[in-house]
Amino acid sequence: MRRLSILGSTGSIGKQTLEVVRNAPEDFMVEALTCNSDADTLYSQVIEFRPKVCCVVDEKKAAELSSRLKNEGIDTEVLSGREGNITAATLDSCDTLVGAIVGFAGLEPVYHAVLSGKDIALANKETLVAGGDIIMPLIREKGVKMLPIDSEHSAIWQCLKGEKRDDLDRIMITASGGPFRGMTRDKLENVTRENALQHPTWNMGGKITIDSSTMMNKGLEIIEAHHLFGISVDNIDVVIHPQSVIHSMIKMKDGSVLAQMGRPSMILPIEVALYYPERGTAIVEEFDPFDAALSNLTFERCDTDVFRLVGLAYEAGRRGGLVPTVMNAANESAVRAFLAGRIGFLDIERTVFETVEKMDAVIGNTELTIDSVEQADTDARAYADELIDGKSCS
Ligand code: NAD
Ligand code: MG
């Protein structure tokens, strides 16, 4: 039985994790549930799963939730703030943290959970992009497991089972291509928030949906794969595969290519992570090669002249240090501004490029620690926000 702290339980991955738990309550115990501000959803989750503690980062909403639960006679402890997330991540009674927070905010609780010896089932890719050089050595030092949930990384991880790491030649990360596949730069200039939120194959939270439309999601995933599998970003290729059936491939040194397939659903990668090294039972509809809609699998190159953030991510991954941290922070600020209707679509890319260029000199040879990563994130956001204020159309 796994005893779970689910951080970001009210989001897309958090809810799907609870779906896996609901399907096999005898296999899991929910010890903690946390969210940023959606106290109503958290309330229903607490009523259903009765965790020991829960946390709403927003203090006012946490206080309201606390009195609501007390009135119902439910003794789940309600925490708040960043500290509350850390307490939830490090509970003695929990053995596995599910990292389903979106963005850099997920790094701090994951860091503390590893320090306190928890296995990490990780969806929150920004944690590894910004802090992979700190988290992965700590994972090895503490002897805990890193269980990838991101579907491409779950696929690679499954393909690598039983293989010698030295026999791995290349990783081919697949991507649907997002809603703007095949578009020119001119057309991209005028796409709207609504266009960008229409993902062709996946139903996900807002930030990752926008990252998929700019292809930054693939950029972040290249760096995530570099950290998870100890492979240089130059040995990772992006393969556009619009059907999202092959979740990624690996090529071994003898030329053999291994792939993992399934319908586009995060339930399966969540199950693979939470049952490791066992297997759970099938919850979602399985891949059927005779389903006409899924049987025609196609592949294309990624156009990095159009989707320039992919090229920037390769460059950031090659340079390492705090460069990916800065890139990630600028992207988070820019995506938030785009979702708020403050900047245009290509302003996301411009903001990220300009911030990385500007911060380059400042971050220089800064030693990599959890504090210097936090500082670089804060500084890059501040600079990106200034740029956004200058571009802002509201
Ligand atoms: P989402 O926006 O649906 O949910 C985010 C969750 O994080 C919510 O519960 C929210 O309350 C919580 N949260 C946000 N900021 C927080 C903060 N400062 N402190 C504490 N909690 C906070 O996002 P999502 O789509 O579920 O994505 C979560 C993560 O998983 C992201 O890093 C994303 O890249 C990754 N991921 C998502 C999918 C998917 O299908 N949704 C697939 C692969 C990877
Ligand atoms: Mg993914």
Side-chain angles (χ1 to χ4, degrees), residues 142-306:
K142 292 285 170 188
V144 297
K145 293 187 191 70
M146 174 57 89
L147 312 161
I149 286 181
D150 209 350
S151 59
E152 296 76 4
H153 306 75
S154 172
I156 296 161
W157 189 49
Q158 292 178 66
C159 290
L160 276 170
K161 265 191 198 167
E163 297 287 352
K164 289 201 200 86
R165 205 50 63 89
D166 286 350
D167 291 341
L168 174 66
D169 178 25
R170 296 191 78 75
I171 283 177
M172 292 180 256
I173 296 197
T174 52
S176 70
F180 305 141
R181 180 170 65 93
M183 272 199 188
T184 59
R185 300 279 300 174
D186 283 355
K187 284 216 166 123
L188 281 186
E189 193 73 68
N190 296 315
V191 298
T192 64
R193 175 179 176 276
E194 283 61 39
N195 301 145
L197 283 171
Q198 292 300 317
H199 196 281
T201 48
W202 293 95
N203 183 8
M204 312 176 283
K207 195 259 176 183
I208 183 175
T209 304
I210 299 304
D211 283 345
S212 301
S213 71
T214 62
M215 294 295 291
M216 179 51 123
N217 186 45
K218 234 20 76 173
L220 301 177
E221 289 183 352
I222 292 163
I223 300 174
E224 181 184 16
H226 153 71
H227 288 296
L228 284 172
F229 306 112
I231 186 169
S232 147
V233 294
D234 290 314
N235 287 1
I236 304 175
D237 302 311
V238 174
V239 177
I240 304 293
H241 167 49
Q243 298 80 21
S244 301
V245 166
I246 293 184
H247 296 308
S248 275
M249 300 176 259
I250 60 171
K251 184 155 78 70
M252 307 309 291
K253 69 178 187 193
D254 61 2
S256 180
V257 173
L258 312 181
Q260 186 264 337
M261 302 164 84
R263 282 172 176 275
S265 158
M266 290 308 294
I267 294 274
L268 184 55
I270 292 168
E271 256 199 297
V272 172
L274 295 187
Y275 277 97
Y276 178 86
E278 312 293 331
R279 290 271 179 180
T281 52
I283 302 178
V284 286
E285 199 185 339
E286 290 156 47
F287 169 62
D288 172 5
F290 304 113
D291 177 338
L294 296 177
S295 60
N296 192 8
L297 304 185
T298 59
F299 306 96
E300 299 161 16
R301 284 183 200 284
C302 175
D303 190 340
T304 50
D305 290 332
V306 174

Side-chain angles (χ1 to χ4, degrees), residues 7-14 16 34-38 57 85 99-103 105-106 123-127 149-152 202-208 211 217 220-221 266:
L7 270 57
S9 65
T10 60
S12 161
I13 293 290
Q16 293 180 83
T34 85
C35 74
N36 191 33
S37 59
D38 183 1
V57 173
N85 256 334
I101 288 180
V102 58
N124 172 223
K125 61 196 79 183
E126 296 92 341
T127 280
I149 286 181
D150 209 350
S151 59
E152 296 76 4
W202 293 95
N203 183 8
M204 312 176 283
K207 195 259 176 183
I208 183 175
D211 283 345
N217 186 45
L220 301 177
E221 289 183 352
M266 290 308 294

Side-chain angles (χ1 to χ4, degrees), residues 80-138:
S80 66
R82 276 170 76 169
E83 283 305 317
N85 256 334
I86 296 172
T87 306
T90 55
L91 282 186
D92 281 346
S93 56
C94 135
D95 54 47
T96 306
L97 172 109
V98 179
I101 288 180
V102 58
F104 182 83
L107 172 64
E108 188 182 38
V110 165
Y111 174 73
H112 287 278
V114 180
L115 277 180
S116 64
K118 315 296 183 202
D119 289 340
I120 308 293
L122 192 69
N124 172 223
K125 61 196 79 183
E126 296 92 341
T127 280
L128 286 181
V129 172
D133 283 326
I134 291 166
I135 296 295
M136 291 311 291
L138 205 56

